[in-house]
Short mmCIF file of all heavy atoms in Angstrom, two decimals:
data_model
loop_
_atom_site.label_atom_id
_atom_site.label_comp_id
_atom_site.label_asym_id
_atom_site.label_seq_id
_atom_site.Cartn_x
_atom_site.Cartn_y
_atom_site.Cartn_z
N HIS A 304 -18.14 47.29 -86.35
CA HIS A 304 -17.84 47.62 -87.78
C HIS A 304 -16.72 46.73 -88.34
O HIS A 304 -15.80 46.48 -87.59
CB HIS A 304 -17.47 49.15 -87.88
CG HIS A 304 -18.59 50.02 -87.49
ND1 HIS A 304 -19.79 50.10 -88.15
CD2 HIS A 304 -18.70 50.95 -86.44
CE1 HIS A 304 -20.53 51.00 -87.63
NE2 HIS A 304 -19.96 51.49 -86.53
N SER A 305 -16.86 46.39 -89.54
CA SER A 305 -15.79 45.62 -90.14
C SER A 305 -14.56 46.38 -90.20
O SER A 305 -14.52 47.62 -90.28
CB SER A 305 -16.20 45.15 -91.61
OG SER A 305 -17.32 44.33 -91.56
N GLY A 306 -13.39 45.65 -90.05
CA GLY A 306 -12.15 46.39 -90.03
C GLY A 306 -11.41 46.19 -88.76
O GLY A 306 -11.51 45.06 -88.08
N GLU A 307 -10.63 47.10 -88.35
CA GLU A 307 -9.70 47.02 -87.12
C GLU A 307 -10.52 46.75 -85.91
O GLU A 307 -10.06 46.11 -84.98
CB GLU A 307 -8.83 48.26 -87.03
CG GLU A 307 -7.74 48.31 -88.03
CD GLU A 307 -6.83 49.43 -87.77
OE1 GLU A 307 -7.25 50.39 -87.04
OE2 GLU A 307 -5.68 49.50 -88.31
N ASP A 308 -11.73 47.32 -85.85
CA ASP A 308 -12.48 47.24 -84.62
C ASP A 308 -13.26 45.96 -84.41
O ASP A 308 -13.98 45.81 -83.42
CB ASP A 308 -13.47 48.42 -84.50
CG ASP A 308 -12.79 49.74 -84.36
OD1 ASP A 308 -11.76 49.83 -83.75
OD2 ASP A 308 -13.29 50.77 -84.89
N ARG A 309 -13.16 45.06 -85.41
CA ARG A 309 -13.95 43.74 -85.28
C ARG A 309 -13.02 42.63 -85.06
O ARG A 309 -11.89 42.58 -85.66
CB ARG A 309 -14.75 43.52 -86.60
CG ARG A 309 -15.82 42.49 -86.35
CD ARG A 309 -16.74 42.42 -87.71
NE ARG A 309 -17.99 41.77 -87.38
CZ ARG A 309 -18.47 40.72 -88.02
NH1 ARG A 309 -17.71 40.16 -89.00
NH2 ARG A 309 -19.65 40.25 -87.77
N ALA A 310 -13.36 41.69 -84.16
CA ALA A 310 -12.59 40.50 -83.98
C ALA A 310 -12.57 39.65 -85.27
O ALA A 310 -13.51 39.72 -86.08
CB ALA A 310 -13.22 39.70 -82.83
N ASP A 311 -11.54 38.86 -85.41
CA ASP A 311 -11.47 37.99 -86.66
C ASP A 311 -12.18 36.68 -86.34
O ASP A 311 -12.60 35.95 -87.30
CB ASP A 311 -10.05 37.82 -86.97
CG ASP A 311 -9.34 39.06 -87.38
OD1 ASP A 311 -9.70 39.64 -88.38
OD2 ASP A 311 -8.43 39.45 -86.62
N PHE A 312 -12.24 36.20 -85.08
CA PHE A 312 -12.92 34.95 -84.75
C PHE A 312 -13.17 34.91 -83.32
O PHE A 312 -12.71 35.84 -82.50
CB PHE A 312 -12.02 33.77 -85.16
CG PHE A 312 -10.69 33.66 -84.50
CD1 PHE A 312 -10.49 32.76 -83.41
CD2 PHE A 312 -9.57 34.45 -84.86
CE1 PHE A 312 -9.29 32.66 -82.83
CE2 PHE A 312 -8.37 34.33 -84.20
CZ PHE A 312 -8.15 33.42 -83.17
N LEU A 313 -13.88 33.86 -82.86
CA LEU A 313 -14.33 33.70 -81.47
C LEU A 313 -13.80 32.45 -80.91
O LEU A 313 -13.72 31.50 -81.68
CB LEU A 313 -15.81 33.81 -81.27
CG LEU A 313 -16.64 35.08 -81.66
CD1 LEU A 313 -18.10 34.80 -81.48
CD2 LEU A 313 -16.14 36.19 -80.87
N ILE A 314 -13.58 32.38 -79.58
CA ILE A 314 -13.47 31.12 -78.85
C ILE A 314 -14.59 31.17 -77.81
O ILE A 314 -14.63 32.07 -77.01
CB ILE A 314 -12.03 31.14 -78.17
CG1 ILE A 314 -10.91 31.27 -79.21
CG2 ILE A 314 -11.89 29.68 -77.42
CD1 ILE A 314 -10.48 32.61 -79.31
N TYR A 315 -15.48 30.21 -77.92
CA TYR A 315 -16.68 30.22 -77.07
C TYR A 315 -16.79 28.87 -76.47
O TYR A 315 -16.92 27.86 -77.19
CB TYR A 315 -17.95 30.54 -77.90
CG TYR A 315 -19.05 30.92 -77.01
CD1 TYR A 315 -19.27 32.25 -76.59
CD2 TYR A 315 -19.97 29.95 -76.46
CE1 TYR A 315 -20.25 32.60 -75.74
CE2 TYR A 315 -20.95 30.31 -75.65
CZ TYR A 315 -21.13 31.65 -75.25
OH TYR A 315 -22.15 32.00 -74.39
N ALA A 316 -17.04 28.80 -75.13
CA ALA A 316 -16.77 29.72 -74.11
C ALA A 316 -16.20 29.10 -72.95
O ALA A 316 -16.59 27.85 -72.71
CB ALA A 316 -18.05 30.44 -73.64
N ASN A 317 -15.28 29.64 -72.17
CA ASN A 317 -14.58 28.87 -71.18
C ASN A 317 -15.38 28.80 -69.95
O ASN A 317 -16.60 29.01 -69.95
CB ASN A 317 -13.27 29.59 -70.83
CG ASN A 317 -13.26 31.02 -70.48
OD1 ASN A 317 -14.31 31.44 -69.85
ND2 ASN A 317 -12.27 31.77 -70.72
N ARG A 318 -14.78 28.37 -68.91
CA ARG A 318 -15.48 27.66 -67.80
C ARG A 318 -16.51 28.53 -66.99
O ARG A 318 -16.50 29.76 -67.01
CB ARG A 318 -14.49 27.04 -66.89
CG ARG A 318 -13.51 26.12 -67.65
CD ARG A 318 -12.83 25.11 -66.76
NE ARG A 318 -11.90 25.67 -65.74
CZ ARG A 318 -11.51 25.02 -64.69
NH1 ARG A 318 -11.81 23.78 -64.49
NH2 ARG A 318 -10.73 25.58 -63.85
N LEU A 319 -17.32 27.87 -66.19
CA LEU A 319 -18.17 28.45 -65.28
C LEU A 319 -17.32 28.87 -64.00
O LEU A 319 -16.21 28.45 -63.88
CB LEU A 319 -19.34 27.58 -64.91
CG LEU A 319 -20.15 27.11 -66.09
CD1 LEU A 319 -21.21 26.04 -65.59
CD2 LEU A 319 -20.95 28.16 -66.70
N PHE A 320 -17.95 29.74 -63.16
CA PHE A 320 -17.21 30.21 -61.97
C PHE A 320 -18.00 30.07 -60.78
O PHE A 320 -19.25 30.41 -60.78
CB PHE A 320 -16.84 31.69 -62.13
CG PHE A 320 -15.90 32.17 -61.17
CD1 PHE A 320 -14.50 31.83 -61.19
CD2 PHE A 320 -16.35 32.96 -60.12
CE1 PHE A 320 -13.64 32.33 -60.22
CE2 PHE A 320 -15.48 33.42 -59.13
CZ PHE A 320 -14.12 33.14 -59.15
N ALA A 321 -17.46 29.53 -59.77
CA ALA A 321 -18.10 29.32 -58.41
C ALA A 321 -17.48 30.20 -57.42
O ALA A 321 -16.39 29.88 -56.83
CB ALA A 321 -18.11 27.84 -57.93
N PRO A 322 -17.97 31.36 -57.06
CA PRO A 322 -17.41 32.32 -56.19
C PRO A 322 -17.31 31.89 -54.76
O PRO A 322 -16.46 32.36 -53.92
CB PRO A 322 -18.24 33.61 -56.33
CG PRO A 322 -19.52 33.15 -56.79
CD PRO A 322 -19.26 31.94 -57.67
N ALA A 323 -18.15 30.90 -54.38
CA ALA A 323 -18.17 30.40 -52.93
C ALA A 323 -17.37 29.18 -52.74
O ALA A 323 -17.24 28.71 -51.57
CB ALA A 323 -19.59 30.23 -52.49
N LYS A 324 -16.78 28.62 -53.73
CA LYS A 324 -16.01 27.35 -53.66
C LYS A 324 -14.49 27.76 -53.31
O LYS A 324 -13.98 28.59 -53.92
CB LYS A 324 -16.01 26.47 -54.88
CG LYS A 324 -15.25 25.23 -54.72
CD LYS A 324 -15.47 24.31 -55.94
CE LYS A 324 -14.56 23.13 -55.88
NZ LYS A 324 -14.79 22.28 -54.72
N GLU A 325 -13.99 27.07 -52.41
CA GLU A 325 -12.59 27.32 -51.91
C GLU A 325 -11.71 26.20 -52.36
O GLU A 325 -12.05 24.99 -52.30
CB GLU A 325 -12.53 27.48 -50.40
CG GLU A 325 -11.13 27.92 -49.90
CD GLU A 325 -11.17 28.20 -48.44
OE1 GLU A 325 -12.30 28.50 -47.87
OE2 GLU A 325 -10.12 28.18 -47.77
N PHE A 326 -10.45 26.58 -52.87
CA PHE A 326 -9.47 25.55 -53.19
C PHE A 326 -8.12 26.08 -52.72
O PHE A 326 -7.68 27.10 -53.23
CB PHE A 326 -9.47 25.32 -54.74
CG PHE A 326 -8.54 24.25 -55.19
CD1 PHE A 326 -8.69 22.90 -54.92
CD2 PHE A 326 -7.39 24.59 -55.90
CE1 PHE A 326 -7.85 21.97 -55.34
CE2 PHE A 326 -6.44 23.70 -56.27
CZ PHE A 326 -6.68 22.32 -55.95
N GLU A 327 -7.47 25.33 -51.87
CA GLU A 327 -6.12 25.66 -51.42
C GLU A 327 -6.04 27.06 -50.90
O GLU A 327 -5.09 27.89 -51.30
CB GLU A 327 -5.05 25.44 -52.46
CG GLU A 327 -5.01 23.95 -52.86
CD GLU A 327 -3.50 23.57 -53.10
OE1 GLU A 327 -2.74 24.44 -53.45
OE2 GLU A 327 -3.30 22.31 -53.06
N GLY A 328 -7.04 27.58 -50.09
CA GLY A 328 -7.02 28.84 -49.45
C GLY A 328 -7.49 29.98 -50.42
O GLY A 328 -7.56 31.07 -49.96
N LYS A 329 -7.83 29.59 -51.64
CA LYS A 329 -8.32 30.64 -52.63
C LYS A 329 -9.91 30.50 -52.78
O LYS A 329 -10.31 29.39 -53.17
CB LYS A 329 -7.63 30.45 -53.98
CG LYS A 329 -8.17 31.36 -55.08
CD LYS A 329 -7.86 32.85 -54.74
CE LYS A 329 -8.36 33.62 -55.98
NZ LYS A 329 -8.10 35.11 -55.69
N LEU A 330 -10.57 31.55 -52.47
CA LEU A 330 -12.01 31.54 -52.56
C LEU A 330 -12.50 31.94 -53.95
O LEU A 330 -12.08 33.02 -54.49
CB LEU A 330 -12.60 32.51 -51.58
CG LEU A 330 -14.15 32.46 -51.41
CD1 LEU A 330 -14.64 31.14 -50.89
CD2 LEU A 330 -14.62 33.51 -50.50
N GLY A 331 -13.23 31.16 -54.61
CA GLY A 331 -13.66 31.40 -55.97
C GLY A 331 -12.79 30.61 -57.02
O GLY A 331 -11.66 30.86 -57.12
N VAL A 332 -13.44 29.62 -57.64
CA VAL A 332 -12.69 28.80 -58.66
C VAL A 332 -13.53 28.61 -59.83
O VAL A 332 -14.82 28.62 -59.76
CB VAL A 332 -12.34 27.43 -58.04
CG1 VAL A 332 -11.39 27.55 -56.84
CG2 VAL A 332 -13.50 26.61 -57.67
N ALA A 333 -12.89 28.33 -60.99
CA ALA A 333 -13.60 27.94 -62.16
C ALA A 333 -13.88 26.51 -62.27
O ALA A 333 -13.08 25.74 -61.63
CB ALA A 333 -12.76 28.40 -63.40
N TYR A 334 -14.85 26.01 -62.89
CA TYR A 334 -15.15 24.60 -63.01
C TYR A 334 -15.82 24.32 -64.37
O TYR A 334 -16.34 25.18 -65.01
CB TYR A 334 -16.04 24.16 -61.80
CG TYR A 334 -17.45 24.70 -61.85
CD1 TYR A 334 -18.54 23.84 -62.40
CD2 TYR A 334 -17.82 25.95 -61.42
CE1 TYR A 334 -19.82 24.31 -62.43
CE2 TYR A 334 -19.12 26.36 -61.48
CZ TYR A 334 -20.15 25.60 -61.93
OH TYR A 334 -21.38 26.07 -61.98
N GLY A 335 -15.80 23.06 -64.68
CA GLY A 335 -16.37 22.58 -65.99
C GLY A 335 -17.42 21.54 -65.72
O GLY A 335 -18.15 21.58 -64.82
N GLY A 336 -17.49 20.53 -66.69
CA GLY A 336 -18.56 19.53 -66.56
C GLY A 336 -19.68 19.69 -67.41
O GLY A 336 -19.80 20.61 -68.24
N PRO A 337 -20.74 18.86 -67.24
CA PRO A 337 -21.88 18.90 -68.15
C PRO A 337 -22.62 20.24 -68.21
O PRO A 337 -23.21 20.63 -69.13
CB PRO A 337 -22.78 17.77 -67.62
CG PRO A 337 -21.79 16.89 -66.85
CD PRO A 337 -20.75 17.74 -66.32
#
Side-chain angles (χ1 to χ4, degrees):
H304 295 297
S305 296
E307 288 185 340
D308 291 328
R309 197 174 199 236
D311 298 294
F312 63 103
L313 298 179
I314 304 92
Y315 196 88
N317 57 28
R318 305 202 295 163
L319 302 173
F320 189 76
K324 181 175 173 59
E325 184 174 341
F326 181 73
E327 299 218 335
K329 175 66 177 178
L330 188 64
V332 298
Y334 70 99

